[in-house]
Amino acid sequence: MIKQYDQSFVLETAHTSYIFRLLPTKQLEHLYYGKKLTVSSSKDIEPLIEQHAFAPGNTNIYDEEHPEYSLEDMRLEAGMIGKGDIRIPFVEIIHADGSSTNDFLFQEAKINTSHTPIRTLPYALNNKEELEVTLVDEAYAVILKLYYNVYPEYDIISRRAVVINNSDEEIKVNRLMSTQLDFSNHNYVLTTFNGNWTNEMNRHDHIIESGIHINASLTGCSSSRANPFVMLSGKHTTEDDGDVYGLNLIYSGNHYEAVEVTSYGKMRFIAGINPQNFSFLLKQSDSFESCEAVMCYSSHGFNDMSKHMHAFINDCIVRGTWQHKERPILLNSWEANYFKINEQKLLRQAKAAKKVGIELFVMDDGWFGKRDNDQSSLGDWQYDPKKLPHGLKHLVDKINEIGLDFGIWVEPEMVNVDSSLYRSHKEWTIEIPGHNQSEGRHQRILDLCNPEVVGYLTDVMSELFSSANIKYVKWDMNRTFSDIYSQYLPSSQQQEVFHRYIIGLYKLLDNLTKAFPDILFEGCASGGNRFDLGMLCYMPQIWASDNTDALCRYHIQNSYTYGYPLSVISNHVSSTPNHQTLRTTPLDTRYNIACFGILGYETNLADLSNEALEEIKNQIAQYKAYRHTFQFGTFYRIKQDLHNWCVVSSDQKEAMGMIMQELVLPNRQHHQFIARGLKEEGHYHFFNQEKQYNVKLFGDLINTASPIHIKQDSLAHHVVAKFVKMPGEVEDVHTSGSVLMYGVNLKQAFSANGYSEQVRYFQDFASRLYFIQEESEIK
Ligand code: DGJ
């Protein structure tokens, strides 16, 4: 709901209010963003207005008529340079006369009944109310429009801006942010998620005392170095209680989120396209659009904020055929084969996949050109006849005959110098002609600033996607930018390359997703190097990390869930020792982590033991039975000694929980599972899946029970292991939701004191999955 009371604007969602007003000096003053306030007149709003009888000393006064106002110490909706505000600006425009003073003042405001389209960038769907505020810098005939969209049921407010050059001279937009929040104090913790390849999303909590803290990417992608999702929370906020703002951008390129503590103890948060290496030329009547910022506030802790973000992303960011549709369980060929693929091997692996219940077979890198390693062929999207002697269509038909859908890997934005494409179109890459070029993974980036390249890639990919029965595409992107130069743009516009590339990428994705609405696209950028809301507008799921080690994955996935729903997080069970860490974790733990989201496998199933295949078959059958909740349920992170997750169906009748331990802590064997999101008074059955353990897992402890001595790894040990299984513990509880949410005391974990079904086999990296089902009658 958007309301205007005289000169004040009130934006309301189900549980939040966002309020600002027009200052007598005609800037917009930020008054409030937080828990919903009851206001129904300008009188009600008055107490929210900061009192200014005089301006602080040694500051600039905006104008003589208002000696009490210095913009340096006002809370503003959009700060700018040159009229007293010396904080990080929202907008920075260089005029034809060289000045960078911007003085945008209120002209008008109107309420629209839907989201005004963004010409160049994707934006959130399903909005019904938008506030459009127009500010004008009269001296230079430049307009700044601020758009606020309200998504009441998700407690989401979005913000963005547009600059329009109405003058007859050229201007340069050196920065245009998407949102700004000026807080009256700085009692907040800024949480950022940083990392690198195979090490995405490390959570960092920064107590901001003074100065500026920046979270940004200059890689050309939203990046694994600094995800654009950040949080501002109270110092004591927990998963279930306290203030938190979740903030994100619908953007896949260089982004920037900064927090500045002012000399007056206030705090400014600002987010948008990274102004570093950026400047956009606007000729007469041209406009520049910022990306859309998404903001969510909750007074009930991180889980509640995440819940709203998740629902918003599922309903308003992800779109198309697959938006709310259950996603298939896939087998990806990469870690089983790397570049060494051929038709025979793939068919053998696909047959093994079918037997365990997999639904989609994905042929990863290595199938095209002469792609025997990562040094050639990107750009040449024709199958390699040595590897696929009967062609791509034949392979796909064979896979379909086995009973699996087929998916393919591509990396369309890239080219190797060793490729026919590069040899015929050197002018199509991002590089500085005549200079030595730096490369990443031996590849160069195609210049998506150039519409001809976007058109070419649309045609080539369309041809590929229609050449066989392709149901899924893994869209990879494996490098960061260097030698940033578009051979298509004039020298005066080279600072536009980063942003124009993203505009070109979105155009390409728009063309292809419209032409192939039924294909399931999965985003990937060396894992999570482009895990953001922009990509999710085209691709309903993203490969979260190239790291498939279960322990690392727990942390990576856990961090993603602060800002992103399970339905977009793609996870695979892979082999051990793990290819990234050489760590060995149990097969059930690998599954127990991967099943929270989109499940896949990435291992040579044709090589696995019957025992492992049987376990995988059971995992897949189980996942299918609970898939909707694993992919679309309400997810909770639970703070306790063990790692603890819970996901609950929307009707609260079904839930799954997970606990995981890192290392065994001897003689500390009492553990709990804690549920969340159940009906307090509902009655539930809590149970685990019965398991049997290989006796070899207990090593030579076998001799404490065996009548004859058994040497480890001897033939006798193998034979006994074949016939004697150790029963796993049984958890079987009937109780209320409130008890389950307080915590279930589990069977004691093993600690050197004998083993029976009353004891939980719980070694390093062990985990358990629990099932919770509502019972119609109290038993
Ligand atoms: C990087 C991806 O993240 C991997 O999953 C795999 O597709 C390789 N690229 C293939 O080159």
Side-chain angles (χ1 to χ4, degrees), residues 358-374:
I358 281 177
E359 298 158 324
L360 167 71
F361 183 83
V362 179
M363 177 171 68
D364 208 280
D365 200 352
W367 60 268
F368 53 94
K370 298 191 191 74
R371 186 83 170 159
D372 295 330
N373 52 47
D374 61 10

Side-chain angles (χ1 to χ4, degrees), residues 592 622 625-626 630 646 653-659 673 675 678 683-691 728-736 740 744-747 760 768-775 779:
N592 292 348
Q622 184 187 77
Y626 298 98
F630 274 132
C646 189
K653 289 185 172 194
E654 167 183 287
M656 277 78 74
M658 194 279 302
I659 52 162
F673 165 77
L678 305 176
H683 212 264
Y684 293 91
H685 181 200
F686 170 90
F687 57 98
N688 66 342
Q689 207 190 22
E690 283 182 38
K691 289 208 66 161
E729 87 286 5
V730 176
E731 305 288 358
D732 188 24
V733 167
H734 299 267
T735 187
S736 69
L740 291 173
V744 182
N745 283 304
L746 302 169
K747 294 269 157 53
R760 183 161 30 101
R768 286 290 185 280
L769 209 51
Y770 298 111
F771 300 86
I772 301 170
Q773 265 158 12
E774 192 181 23
E775 297 173 305
K779 286 186 186 156

